[in-house]
């Protein structure tokens, strides 16, 4: 029997959306208020969905202690209270929430082996959320 488990986490981070490939005018037109030179922050809600067979002895897809520990060590400690523009993975990549979702998915895909990673969903505001399932072409 296969089941899905979705777990929620929260973290806060800031960013400025600005592409070095665009002029200042193009950046303002593309990113609007998110191109503020001083940046801005969000209180993100991260949802991680994993799946797998239900272990007959525990009744679980995976141990929440394992998932929570991994997410705390590898994701939350990396992004919470950070300016995303200052992180290595965003040195050449605009730190949109779409790109942050992909980065988090890739961290989990590489390191969490206790269940199958289905998706990462990242809520940026009450009005915006982004989901990544790893099915898209790799980024260039």
């Amino acid at each position: 029997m296969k089941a899905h488990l979705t777990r929620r986490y929260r973290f806060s981070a800031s960013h400025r959306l600005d592409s070095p490939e665009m002029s200042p005018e193009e950046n303002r037109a593309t990113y609007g208020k998110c191109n503020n030179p001083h940046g801005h922050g969000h209180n993100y809600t991260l949802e991680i969905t994993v799946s797998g067979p239900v272990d007959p002895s525990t009744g679980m897809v995976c141990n929440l202690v394992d998932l929570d520990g991994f997410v705390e060590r590898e994701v939350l400690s990396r992004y919470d209270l950070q300016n995303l523009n200052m992180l290595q993975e965003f040195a050449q990549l605009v730190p949109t929430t779409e790109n942050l979702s992909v980065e988090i998915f890739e961290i989990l895909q590489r390191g969490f082996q206790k269940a199958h990673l289905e998706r990462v969903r990242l809520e940026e505001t009450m009005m915006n959320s982004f989901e990544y399932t790893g099915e898209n072409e790799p980024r260039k």
Side-chain angles (χ1 to χ4, degrees), residues 16-36:
R16 177 184 186 214
L17 303 185
D18 188 78
S19 172
E21 297 176 9
M22 292 186 218
S23 70
E25 296 77 24
E26 290 172 308
N27 272 300
R28 279 192 296 279
T30 300
Y31 299 118
K33 66 182 180 178
C34 296
N35 184 245
N36 177 343

Side-chain angles (χ1 to χ4, degrees), residues 123-135:
E123 187 174 297
E124 179 183 66
T125 68
M126 251 175 47
M127 303 298 283
N128 296 339
S129 65
F130 305 89
E131 190 171 302
Y132 184 69
T133 61
E135 297 169 358

Side-chain angles (χ1 to χ4, degrees), residues 47 98 101-106 117-122 130-139:
E47 289 183 0
E98 294 94 321
S101 299
V102 173
E103 290 296 322
I104 292 170
F105 186 94
E106 290 176 354
L117 178 61
E118 292 286 341
R119 74 178 177 105
V120 165
R121 180 179 176 274
L122 197 53
F130 305 89
E131 190 171 302
Y132 184 69
T133 61
E135 297 169 358
N136 296 337
E137 295 280 322
R139 280 184 292 181

